[in-house]
Amino acid sequence: MLGVLFLQIIAGITLAAVDATPTEVSSRLLMSKKWMRTYECADDYPTMDDHFIVNEFETSPDPVKFDQGQTFKIMFDVDLLKEIDNRTKVDVIIERKGWWSMVLDCYDIDEDHRFGTCRYLLERLLSLMTDEQREQCKKFMPKGQECKLPFKPGKYAGEIEIKVPKLPDMLKKYGAAKYEVEFALADYIEEKWICIAADLTIK
């Protein structure tokens, strides 16, 4: 479930290049499972292994090419060891790498959607799922678990298909480059317990 959420966020924060049409940008924007990595959020913090075990996590195709309207699949099998409650926060940090390095700001796209380096409530993100996404969500919930918080300990496994959204035109100014996207879950006392980073590349 967490890997799916991570890729759904990334799909919503893809970057556009300077003077390029959306189709041209998407054909050059790539992300691969090989470019994803986990790390310890901080010394003495709980680690990802304290909260869940990832048995499988694959994407098809790999790498994923972000062509608007195209779809890609995620296959995953996760054993959640501790409950995830409705106070859980999601931090997303996007940094442009290279000679012109910078952390992107947080932009409000509309009343429900944001883009860039932003903090979200996990419960709020889940509330924005479409009816189709909710139906897919039910397929990989443990017995008795609804597709809403709190997520109880158990096995979360299955396959989900994600449709690539329209690229955000507002970010053409950031240009073709390598971008690092950091994703972290934090509890109600701001203690982060999972930190994942991934590279997005626009050539």
Side-chain angles (χ1 to χ4, degrees):
M1 182 63 193
L2 299 177
V4 173
L5 177 62
F6 177 56
L7 282 182
Q8 283 182 316
I9 291 173
I10 287 182
I13 57 178
T14 49
L15 307 172
V18 175
D19 296 326
T21 66
T23 300
E24 291 170 340
V25 172
S26 61
S27 65
R28 301 203 307 268
L29 179 58
L30 301 173
M31 187 192 73
S32 171
K33 190 196 83 168
K34 302 181 185 71
W35 306 338
M36 297 177 65
R37 55 204 174 274
T38 60
Y39 60 95
E40 290 188 14
C41 301
D43 292 340
D44 301 323
Y45 271 22
T47 66
M48 182 175 73
D49 293 340
D50 296 322
H51 287 77
F52 66 92
I53 299 171
V54 179
N55 302 307
E56 179 188 14
F57 184 79
E58 301 290 339
T59 65
S60 178
D62 186 10
V64 174
K65 183 184 290 187
F66 285 84
D67 284 328
Q68 181 183 338
Q70 296 298 307
T71 59
F72 62 94
K73 293 181 179 179
I74 305 170
M75 292 71 72
F76 66 100
D77 184 317
V78 174
D79 293 325
L80 183 63
L81 306 179
K82 295 184 179 180
E83 180 179 290
I84 301 177
D85 65 28
N86 59 4
R87 298 171 294 181
T88 302
K89 303 175 183 69
V90 181
D91 287 333
V92 178
I93 300 172
I94 307 178
E95 182 177 0
R96 185 188 194 279
K97 298 293 188 177
W99 65 271
W100 175 39
S101 297
M102 65 178 299
V103 175
L104 277 61
D105 293 328
C106 184
Y107 298 89
D108 289 321
I109 297 176
D110 54 40
E111 185 177 345
D112 293 325
H113 299 88
R114 302 161 83 188
F115 176 98
T117 298
C118 306
R119 165 165 282 190
Y120 308 85
L121 278 174
L122 179 55
E123 185 173 46
R124 177 60 175 160
L125 290 176
L126 293 172
S127 73
L128 297 176
M129 287 194 301
T130 64
D131 291 340
E132 182 180 354
Q133 289 170 334
R134 290 183 187 282
E135 284 303 311
Q136 289 196 68
C137 181
K138 293 176 183 178
K139 297 177 183 178
F140 49 79
M141 292 288 110
K143 185 176 180 180
Q145 173 68 55
E146 296 184 52
C147 193
K148 65 180 183 180
L149 297 176
F151 289 143
K152 301 291 186 181
K155 180 175 288 292
Y156 294 74
E159 177 180 298
I160 188 170
E161 189 171 79
I162 296 176
K163 187 174 182 179
V164 178
K166 181 181 183 298
L167 300 175
D169 295 331
M170 70 174 70
L171 294 178
K172 290 182 180 179
K173 62 181 180 181
Y174 290 106
K178 179 179 178 180
Y179 294 82
E180 182 179 75
V181 181
E182 295 183 16
F183 165 89
L185 289 184
D187 61 22
Y188 69 100
I189 58 172
E190 305 297 320
E191 206 170 66
K192 296 179 180 179
W193 56 267
I194 173 175
C195 290
I196 302 175
D199 295 328
L200 294 175
T201 301
I202 301 178
K203 297 181 179 181

